[in-house]
Amino acid sequence: MDLVERFPANPLLSPRDVPPSRPGWVVECLLNPGAFRFGGRTCLLMRVAERPVQEEGWLSTPVVDETTPDGTRVLRFRKDDPKLAYNDPRVFHYDGAMYLTTLSHLRLATSDDGVKFRCDGKPLLEGRGPLETFGIEDCRVTQIGADYHLTYTAVSADGHGVSLKSTRDWKGFEDHGMVLPPPNKDCTLFDSKVGGNYACLHRPSPSGLGGSFIWYAESPDLVHWGGHRCVARPRPGMWDSSRIGAGAAPIKTGRGWLCLYHGADGKNRYCLGAMLLDLAEPWKVLARSVEPFMEPVTDYERKGFFGEVVFTNGHVVDGETVTIYFGASDTVICGCRTSVPQILSTLA
Amino acid sequence: MDLVERFPANPLLSPRDVPPSRPGWVVECLLNPGAFRFGGRTCLLMRVAERPVQEEGWLSTPVVDETTPDGTRVLRFRKDDPKLAYNDPRVFHYDGAMYLTTLSHLRLATSDDGVKFRCDGKPLLEGRGPLETFGIEDCRVTQIGADYHLTYTAVSADGHGVSLKSTRDWKGFEDHGMVLPPPNKDCTLFDSKVGGNYACLHRPSPSGLGGSFIWYAESPDLVHWGGHRCVARPRPGMWDSSRIGAGAAPIKTGRGWLCLYHGADGKNRYCLGAMLLDLAEPWKVLARSVEPFMEPVTDYERKGFFGEVVFTNGHVVDGETVTIYFGASDTVICGCRTSVPQILSTLA
């Protein structure tokens, strides 16, 4: 049951639209953009995943290394090396240690009409420092007053956590370091305070006790977080049975905070659903999608680097209209339109 | 190479010294006390792990349930139920979900001489609220000024995270909620500020990228935490090859912060070592134990509920003397004495 109107121009952006950041590299995937308005334009902060052109018999992947002239280093592994294990397009293991198959940076694309986007020639933000050696990914952008706050996944051999940068002009960025330790991702800030504090939703992923659940936290300053509470869990037997994670900033409505989220089932099929959270106590779920409001059904959503995926961490709101930007099949960036009342009407 | 002088009176406290909190229950284990001085006495805040007397053919474990008269509920499983899987004394699985075999609370024991302890008849703190339904464990106690701050592991089906309570009189406690989300434990506060902020060491445990490493974080108020940085990792082939976690508050010395920590190898053998951390930037390790300064060698450290374990999260410091209280074999509580110069002399 799809409740969205996909843009006829989809996909809006494909890997071929994005020049690689370094000679000899290939943009393999465009993923999961943050979305915001700035200077009268609609902007997407995309995750661009690259690697060197793959040579026959070798697996090679870049990592950040600030001691080299171009700030990266390429790791090469013979495919017949018995210490190498690879069967997931996204990750591989060597000698017990885990690596990513691509290195991601964040790049800007801008549009006058929200449909036709022009992509920057160079990365806007790349991994820096010891906690970003495997890149930066899946950035949510939340505007609070005149400031834009970027919560993104920082990846390294020490794990994936959530880091924060802030900007007012999209030229200078204030770096606030890692705000949520590993294993955590899918963090979105609320665009206004709740009970006197800043608020966020985040997604730790413990193994053993707990799982990939959506949590709430609060902060006096956006940088230091506490008051962690579990908000929502996957539901056995349903479309979101395996993992869930929040999309972009919850949308304030008269009935509560409307949170768009992704859910994956045991077959790694990613759909979009929604939850309505209590206005004063957003860790309380008032209603939730029984069925997803959007499923991977088009060709570009079903086939790609990692198929059967629709994933959002960016939307813009105009009155009751919500324009959702989403990653499809971990390969291309698309858009669709829906409305707050339409989504609210499906929640039970 | 043991550099500590064990108390001849060890074990200082055993399960038989502690009355169970509820009729029909058994104290299975005393574990890992926090240690502090209050009112001229040495105090231990012990983890007491209980369960109902086990019936033939059944596995039963208590959980917190505040809707019942005694605040707990007992889950019972037939041992021949095919949905039940148990092969670890500490945890079991039913229908894919994980449970603990015991429920832990925190109880006080006090002493005039630091050796002979008298145990309270009742729990001081028990699990409360949705994030502590599987109990509370392994409390570090850090005195800052006149206030005592308790960082402990809060356990529930949503995971194990770090929660904080504060007290001045050990009668009333201020509850600050969960300060570090799952999966996290082994959190100790520094007893003075670092660079204008409060500081802690903590131990997230991501699977996949990263592992059970020691991290640093900072806070303006002890409740909200940010600036997470990875401090130290397990070392392949060594005694701390698998998991590490900080003990009690790092000890300030002229050369740096002396952090006692536990390390486990691939066989789950737990030893104690130390790290010297930079005074101004405590996320930088200046020196570290090549060999543990303490290993499980006595009978009570080698055999018990979970053998081959020495584990500390409590010590008291008198000048250069450090009295370490430790859990042995996850069953009894013991003490030993060493000195700051002695430990420092072994770090490389």
Side-chain angles (χ1 to χ4, degrees), chain A residues 7-348:
Chain A
F7 291 176
N10 281 347
L12 307 180
L13 289 154
S14 298
R16 64 175 172 274
D17 302 319
V18 180
S21 66
R22 283 154 181 89
W25 287 19
V26 180
V27 172
E28 296 284 359
C29 322
L30 290 191
L31 301 106
N32 316 339
F36 58 99
R37 292 261 167 72
F38 179 68
R41 295 201 285 182
T42 301
C43 307
L44 299 179
L45 189 56
M46 307 180 293
R47 171 180 165 199
V48 178
E50 304 174 292
R51 62 180 164 193
V53 174
Q54 297 293 294
E55 310 151 79
E56 184 68 28
W58 291 82
L59 192 157
S60 58
T61 193
V63 295
V64 174
D65 182 347
E66 294 169 66
T67 66
T68 69
D70 87 339
T72 64
R73 185 163 47 93
V74 173
L75 308 178
R76 295 170 81 240
F77 305 90
R78 286 195 66 94
K79 282 193 171 174
D80 58 5
D81 187 332
K83 290 182 180 169
L84 182 69
Y86 59 104
N87 53 22
D88 182 314
R90 302 167 299 181
V91 300
F92 65 94
H93 291 80
Y94 186 80
D95 203 11
M98 190 172 171
Y99 298 88
L100 306 188
T101 55
T102 57
L103 178 67
S104 291
H105 66 259
L106 301 178
R107 199 179 301 204
L108 210 54
T110 58
S111 171
D112 291 323
D113 62 2
V115 176
K116 197 170 175 179
F117 282 87
R118 180 196 308 234
C119 176
D120 277 6
K122 291 180 178 175
L124 180 69
L125 295 166
E126 295 189 297
R128 287 283 175 273
L131 296 179
E132 300 181 356
T133 53
F134 289 2
I136 56 179
E137 304 180 352
D138 294 359
C139 187
R140 275 87 175 157
V141 178
T142 303
Q143 186 178 355
I144 305 178
D147 294 310
Y148 295 84
H149 301 283
L150 288 61
T151 48
Y152 62 93
T153 310
V155 193
S156 74
D158 293 328
H160 58 269
V162 176
S163 291
L164 173 72
K165 291 183 198 292
S166 300
T167 186
R168 187 164 286 195
D169 58 9
W170 288 94
K171 287 174 185 157
F173 292 85
E174 193 180 355
D175 185 1
H176 302 291
M178 185 168 280
V179 296
L180 294 166
N184 212 308
K185 52 168 62 174
D186 297 329
C187 174
T188 185
L189 305 175
F190 286 63
D191 61 8
S192 56
K193 288 189 177 182
V194 177
N197 275 313
Y198 295 103
C200 79
L201 299 172
H202 63 92
R203 212 288 297 275
S205 49
S207 54
L209 287 173
S212 294
F213 306 168
I214 294 177
W215 286 63
Y216 177 87
E218 56 192 29
S219 170
D221 56 12
L222 295 172
V223 180
H224 304 91
W225 293 90
H228 299 275
R229 300 167 197 256
C230 189
V231 175
R233 301 159 192 86
R235 296 173 293 186
M238 294 180 69
W239 59 277
D240 52 0
S241 61
S242 181
R243 281 185 299 290
I244 56 173
I251 302 163
K252 198 170 193 172
T253 77
R255 290 173 49 194
W257 296 98
L258 180 62
C259 168
L260 310 186
Y261 75 96
H262 69 266
D265 63 15
K267 291 177 174 167
N268 279 323
R269 183 172 184 263
Y270 282 73
C271 299
L272 300 184
M275 287 186 282
L276 189 67
L277 308 177
D278 187 84
L279 280 176
E281 300 179 313
W283 54 90
K284 296 184 178 169
V285 179
L286 305 178
R288 184 170 170 182
S289 301
V290 176
E291 299 295 333
F293 71 78
M294 184 176 180
E295 304 186 57
V297 291
T298 68
D299 199 55
Y300 53 83
E301 292 161 349
R302 301 201 59 190
K303 291 174 190 161
F305 189 79
F306 197 85
E308 299 290 343
V309 170
V310 290
F311 185 104
T312 184
N313 50 283
H315 59 239
V316 292
V317 180
D318 300 285
E320 292 192 332
T321 300
V322 184
T323 304
I324 297 174
Y325 294 97
F326 62 98
S329 289
D330 280 7
T331 306
V332 293
I333 287 171
C334 304
C336 66
R337 209 162 272 129
T338 185
S339 78
V340 170
Q342 203 163 11
I343 293 181
L344 284 179
S345 72
T346 67
L347 305 186

Side-chain angles (χ1 to χ4, degrees), chain B residues 120-137:
Chain B
D120 277 5
K122 291 181 177 176
L124 181 69
L125 296 166
E126 294 189 299
R128 286 284 175 270
L131 297 179
E132 300 181 354
T133 52
F134 289 3
I136 56 178
E137 306 180 352

Side-chain angles (χ1 to χ4, degrees), chain B residues 150-168:
Chain B
L150 287 62
T151 49
Y152 62 93
T153 310
V155 192
S156 74
D158 293 328
H160 58 268
V162 176
S163 290
L164 173 72
K165 290 182 198 290
S166 300
T167 186
R168 187 165 285 196

